[in-house]
Amino acid sequence: MFKKYFNEYFSDYLWKLRVAKAKELLRGTSKPMEEICIAVGYENVSSFRRKFKKELGITPSQYRNGTEPVTEKSRGESQ
């Protein structure tokens, strides 16, 4: 039902919200990853790190240190 109205799955929408908030907290605070994960609704830090890296092409720590995410377009061009 959600996909019908919003043209994306609820899980994808929820991930976008979580990663946006995590990115904000990573760059705007010095909170540890464990606290950030809990704040965005992830209990498993390892799982969050894996998904973050898979989706953005960089680790949360790299993002915090100023590295910009790898876009889907640039990933495709480098292959």
Side-chain angles (χ1 to χ4, degrees), residues 49-63:
R49 283 186 172 123
R50 255 190 318 276
K51 183 150 175 77
F52 191 98
K53 182 168 183 174
K54 180 182 176 192
E55 298 292 326
L56 283 90
I58 58 172
T59 66
S61 296
Q62 289 172 316
Y63 183 81

Side-chain angles (χ1 to χ4, degrees), residues 3-39:
K3 181 166 175 44
K4 181 180 177 181
Y5 290 103
F6 297 101
N7 204 30
E8 67 182 332
Y9 293 106
F10 178 74
S11 58
D12 295 334
Y13 172 77
L14 183 58
W15 168 251
K16 288 178 187 176
L17 291 177
R18 286 175 167 168
V19 79
K21 185 63 177 177
K23 287 165 68 175
E24 177 186 317
L25 293 170
L26 284 165
R27 290 262 173 100
T29 72
S30 59
K31 290 182 179 184
M33 266 310 299
E34 292 76 13
E35 284 185 33
I36 291 173
C37 286
I38 291 168

Side-chain angles (χ1 to χ4, degrees), residues 6 9 22 24 27 32 39 42 48-49 60 64-66 68 72:
F6 297 101
Y9 293 106
E24 177 186 317
R27 290 262 173 100
Y42 255 77
F48 181 81
R49 283 186 172 123
R64 173 173 265 167
N65 293 327
E68 289 302 315
E72 289 298 321

